[in-house]
Amino acid sequence: IWSTMRGRSLEHKAEVARTMERDVLPLLAEERIRVPLAAIYPMRDPTAGYDRFAQGAKVGKIALVTN
């Protein structure tokens, strides 16, 4: 969503953020919806995460985690 927001006004971006906070974050917190993850890598190895990203053909996010 954010990549398509680049050309939008600050006011529009703020409204979208408020809507997400009100309507989407509670669903995430209740685990009623989930963000699809293609892969998870440790923060200490971001190169592995980027290499997976560069391969393409992924469905979901590639996450770096601290623990």
Side-chain angles (χ1 to χ4, degrees):
I1 185 170
W2 296 114
S3 62
T4 62
M5 298 287 288
R6 185 173 290 128
R8 304 295 177 120
S9 71
L10 184 58
E11 293 80 15
H12 181 78
K13 292 175 187 178
E15 179 59 31
V16 169
R18 286 190 295 271
T19 300
M20 295 282 290
E21 182 178 30
R22 182 189 69 229
D23 297 341
V24 177
L25 290 182
L27 298 175
L28 288 167
E30 296 166 8
E31 296 185 357
R32 293 175 57 199
I33 62 172
R34 302 179 90 176
V35 175
L37 292 174
I40 300 172
Y41 295 94
M43 186 71 76
R44 67 181 177 277
D45 191 13
T47 301
Y50 181 79
D51 289 346
R52 174 63 184 94
F53 170 78
Q55 289 174 4
K58 65 183 178 355
V59 175
K61 300 295 184 184
I62 297 174
L64 298 176
V65 296
T66 57
N67 55 2

